[in-house]
Amino acid sequence: MDINNQVDLLKDELIKATQKVLQVKSVQGEAKPGMPYGEGPAKALECALQIAKSLGFKTANIDNQVGYAEYGDGEEYIGVLGHLDVVPEGDGWEFPPYAAEIHDGKIFARGATDDKGPIMAALYGLKAIVDLGFTMSKRVRIIFGTNEETGSKEIGYYLKKEKPPVAGFTPDAEYPIINGEKGVVVFDLHKEFSVKADGETNVVYVKGGNAHNIVPNFCEAAVRTSLKSTIIDKCEEFSNRTGYELKAEENGELVIIKAYGIAAHGSIPHEGKNAISEILAFLGELNLEKSDLSDYITFLNNHIGMETDGESFGVAMKDEISGKLSFNFGIIDLNENSGRATIDIRYPVTCKFEELSKNANAAVENTGIKIENMDHAKPLYFPKDSELVKTLQKVYKEQTGNEPKLLAIGGGTYAKEMPNIVAFGPIFPGEPDVDHKVNEYIKIDDLILNAKIYAHTIYELAK
């Protein structure tokens, strides 16, 4: 009997097990003794490990951070990394978000696709191999994380206790294969203002953006001026000329200016409209007296402006695999004493962080602006001729009949947290991405097909 037939025999068990783990509300909660991410993730981990144990697997719970189900012998192991924590359910569900009800061939629940359904599919894929009595030269671990949605801190904890897998995948993204994930650099551009302005028109504050990785769709500025009606007229003229949506209104001694943009993920800033950049462009046209504050605004306009590729900042890069660097101006917090701008850069997979860092520092040289709070995540890249990538391509082509194209993305997946793995499924091309959305679901047919793909992949990697 072949693997696919064996998965079909396990279909009803897989559906019930998936429903069981989906019925545990595993949103991160307040840390409790022995429960670093709260009761929900700990209960979901206990539930998944009980299911794995009932299937005959050796199980381990590493301090309620991570657990795993293991099969086989050998020094090296293949890892399949998924997570049991979920984002909050939100309002407006057609079916109860933790009932895991089946309607029209779909299991509806928070976490159905992200990531409980897929990791259970991998577990039952391994069970199919075991039931067939196939021998493998490597151990296999199905690894259950509990903190992916709020930082993936559990994987660092795991790697302090355990060796990483020699190869593997995470069923926490999309098909075919994501072999490239851009490097991520986040930093602040901070300047203290010692030379203050005292002109007819002075900027009091500029505030906008909620997160570094989102294109800000709103920004607000206040200007203290004796020329209120002039500023309001200029704002209207500016909006008409540029097409940016800015509105100005009088408020006591101030004019309040509001800019409205279009939000987008920070990895694809060209798909949004940056409200911070719009408002700074307008402020740059006002007759501001020269000061540290006006110099700071001029710098942001000249070196960032409306660009999303880092060209004027001196950090533009590109490669054939993952395309251009993306540059998102995510947050601004400016007042009469200081300015702080938060930047999110995604750089191409074959480019060097050292070059980017050097060019960023050159951009702020002699400006009084300091680069602070820099956070860096290296790119992930597996060449197309790597054994892992070729194996996943082979299985995907055999099981779906579709071309196993390689994807390079600006966003990051769970694969960035664990060495030697890539993101592989579970969302098929053309299917809607329902992760984090109201009425999240997984099609039962897709759950089963995922189990077949993952079973074949595990066997090919571990045999």
Side-chain angles (χ1 to χ4, degrees):
M1 182 178 285
D2 70 12
I3 289 173
N4 288 357
N5 286 338
Q6 190 62 32
V7 170
D8 285 333
L9 290 177
L10 293 167
K11 174 179 175 178
D12 291 342
E13 276 189 59
L14 169 55
I15 292 168
K16 283 175 187 166
T18 301
Q19 286 177 296
K20 191 172 181 182
V21 78
L22 285 169
Q23 286 160 357
V24 180
K25 181 176 179 177
S26 51
V27 177
Q28 179 170 338
E30 187 183 336
K32 296 188 173 180
M35 298 178 179
Y37 310 116
E39 284 185 33
K43 283 183 179 174
L45 182 57
E46 182 187 6
C47 177
L49 293 176
Q50 280 177 351
I51 292 166
K53 204 167 188 178
S54 74
L55 295 175
F57 294 116
K58 172 190 165 187
T59 62
N61 183 338
I62 303 173
D63 302 329
N64 267 334
Q65 296 260 3
V66 183
Y68 62 82
E70 185 174 81
Y71 175 76
D73 300 302
E75 184 64 27
E76 299 176 330
Y77 74 93
I78 300 302
V80 184
L81 174 64
H83 65 91
L84 300 169
D85 60 310
V86 297
V87 296
E89 64 278 11
D91 299 322
W93 284 69
E94 188 177 353
F95 309 109
Y98 299 106
E101 293 178 5
I102 296 173
H103 300 275
D104 299 322
K106 301 170 184 173
I107 307 173
F108 285 85
R110 174 57 81 228
T113 298
D114 183 28
D115 189 33
K116 292 176 177 177
I119 197 59
M120 296 310 289
L123 180 68
Y124 274 81
L126 178 57
K127 172 64 173 166
I129 295 169
V130 173
D131 286 351
L132 290 168
F134 290 172
T135 56
M136 295 180 284
S137 66
K138 299 179 182 72
R139 288 176 289 140
V140 179
R141 278 187 186 177
I142 308 297
I143 304 169
F144 303 104
T146 61
N147 182 236
E148 191 273 343
E149 299 292 5
T150 45
S152 300
K153 293 185 279 292
E154 86 282 39
I155 303 305
Y157 189 87
Y158 175 87
L159 290 170
K160 286 176 185 172
K161 307 264 185 180
E162 303 283 333
K163 290 194 302 186
V166 293
F169 60 90
T170 176
D172 193 25
E174 60 190 91
Y175 287 116
I177 298 120
I178 296 174
N179 71 315
E181 300 180 19
K182 287 180 176 177
V184 183
V185 182
V186 181
F187 57 85
D188 292 344
L189 296 169
H190 176 231
K191 184 172 184 176
E192 292 290 329
F193 303 147
S194 51
V195 179
K196 306 287 176 68
D198 190 23
E200 276 187 321
T201 300
N202 300 300
V203 176
V204 178
Y205 68 79
V206 183
K207 200 162 182 61
N210 297 310
H212 64 81
N213 61 350
I214 300 173
V215 176
N217 63 355
F218 180 74
C219 186
E220 181 176 301
V223 174
R224 187 184 294 109
T225 180
S226 57
L227 307 166
K228 295 188 188 70
S229 58
T230 303
I231 301 295
I232 291 169
D233 290 344
K234 275 189 176 181
C235 185
E236 186 177 353
E237 184 277 327
F238 177 85
S239 294
N240 291 336
R241 170 163 44 90
T242 60
Y244 304 155
E245 190 181 348
L246 269 70
K247 292 177 182 172
E249 59 189 26
E250 197 172 324
N251 186 339
E253 63 173 357
L254 303 177
V255 172
I256 305 296
I257 303 148
K258 296 178 180 179
Y260 301 88
I262 297 172
H265 194 277
S267 63
I268 45 171
H270 59 281
E271 293 190 7
K273 258 186 157 181
N274 195 308
I276 294 174
S277 295
E278 292 181 357
I279 222 162
L280 291 178
F282 173 65
L283 295 176
E285 292 194 4
L286 299 181
N287 189 24
L288 299 175
E289 185 181 342
K290 185 169 172 57
S291 65
D292 283 353
L293 184 151
S294 70
D295 286 350
Y296 185 72
I297 289 174
T298 299
F299 174 88
L300 295 176
N301 280 327
N302 289 346
H303 290 79
I304 301 175
M306 302 303 295
E307 291 178 2
T308 57
D309 61 2
E311 181 74 41
S312 295
F313 202 80
V315 295
M317 299 173 162
K318 65 179 178 179
D319 67 15
E320 284 188 22
I321 296 155
S322 55
K324 286 183 175 183
L325 173 148
S326 66
F327 190 106
N328 183 51
F329 189 168
I331 305 171
I332 192 165
D333 187 2
L334 178 150
N335 56 46
E336 291 172 292
N337 298 312
S338 68
R340 186 175 295 276
T342 303
I343 308 301
D344 181 316
I345 290 173
R346 313 292 170 107
Y347 67 92
V349 296
T350 61
C351 294
K352 301 294 181 195
F353 167 71
E354 291 74 18
E355 183 189 348
L356 188 152
S357 178
K358 178 182 153 195
N359 292 340
N361 280 295
V364 300
E365 200 172 349
N366 302 320
T367 64
I369 296 170
K370 293 179 180 174
I371 291 178
E372 296 179 347
N373 303 322
M374 184 175 275
D375 191 22
H376 174 226
K378 293 178 182 176
L380 178 150
Y381 176 56
F382 285 78
K384 62 184 179 183
D385 59 355
S386 75
E387 282 305 312
L388 175 58
V389 169
K390 287 198 292 188
T391 300
L392 270 53
Q393 285 184 301
K394 172 179 175 282
V395 171
Y396 183 80
K397 181 82 182 280
E398 287 173 355
Q399 295 303 309
T400 68
N402 297 323
E403 202 54 42
K405 293 178 183 174
L406 300 179
L407 306 174
I409 61 172
T413 77
Y414 217 8
K416 268 213 175 125
E417 310 302 327
M418 181 77 79
N420 306 323
I421 70 170
V422 299
F424 187 44
I427 301 170
F428 292 97
E431 289 291 325
D433 181 352
V434 293
D435 292 4
H436 297 195
K437 293 179 181 170
V438 167
N439 297 320
E440 181 182 349
Y441 65 84
I442 190 164
K443 290 181 181 174
I444 288 173
D445 286 349
D446 287 353
L447 181 70
I448 306 308
L449 181 52
N450 270 296
K452 291 173 181 177
I453 292 170
Y454 295 152
H456 282 276
T457 304
I458 290 166
Y459 179 63
E460 290 292 332
L461 292 172
K463 70 183 181 181

